[in-house]
Amino acid sequence: MSDEQENGGRGRIGHEIFDQVERLVADGGMSRTQAFQQISDETGRRAGTVAANYYRVARQRGATLQPRTPRGARRSAGGGGAAATAALSKAQEALTELGSVIEQQQGEIAELRERAEAFDKARALFASQD
């Protein structure tokens, strides 16, 4: 740790958070996530900010951490199978309903075209009688 950090300078909070998390995990038998939340509750900082500070300092200190998961892979890696299946089912239902509506509209359009042709013929007959 640099003199600046030891004397309360820049980076001090991150190092304090790291030390607090390490103590809570070791003494309290809690997970890092629980430690982040407890520190968040105590300090008014967001749990994500606490975690970001912890991991920044952990990397600086050369701690062995699990590799980061790419952001897009996080959602699909978990047990989201049921939610994905439900979403796909809803989408399929919506597409089926949309197909029915389109077929109905095509029928209405065909009927309107027939009426328009009949109207044009009637108008032509009236125009020829004048």
Side-chain angles (χ1 to χ4, degrees):
M1 191 180 317
S2 70
D3 289 335
E4 185 178 315
Q5 291 166 341
E6 288 176 5
N7 295 326
R10 186 173 180 177
R12 173 186 54 85
I13 292 172
H15 288 276
E16 288 175 4
I17 288 172
F18 179 87
D19 293 336
Q20 281 181 293
V21 170
E22 290 296 302
R23 271 194 308 276
L24 289 170
V25 170
D27 298 343
M30 62 176 62
S31 69
R32 285 184 186 144
T33 302
Q34 292 168 328
F36 299 154
Q37 188 59 54
Q38 181 173 328
I39 294 168
S40 170
D41 294 342
E42 291 171 0
T43 63
R45 292 182 178 91
R46 293 183 181 176
T49 302
V50 173
N53 275 290
Y54 172 84
Y55 286 112
R56 178 181 50 78
V57 172
R59 283 189 297 278
Q60 286 174 355
R61 293 185 180 185
T64 304
L65 302 171
Q66 291 180 348
R68 295 187 215 182
T69 305
R71 287 183 185 260
R74 287 181 186 158
R75 288 193 183 108
S76 61
T85 301
L88 287 172
S89 178
K90 277 190 153 190
Q92 181 66 39
E93 289 173 19
L95 288 171
T96 301
E97 184 178 343
L98 180 60
S100 297
V101 169
I102 290 172
E103 286 180 21
Q104 181 182 356
Q105 286 182 339
Q106 286 176 334
E108 290 174 5
I109 289 170
E111 183 181 335
L112 288 172
R113 284 189 176 137
E114 288 175 12
R115 287 184 182 182
E117 281 182 34
F119 178 77
D120 287 343
K121 287 179 184 176
R123 187 173 50 186
L125 277 175
F126 286 121
S128 67
Q129 289 182 356
D130 286 336

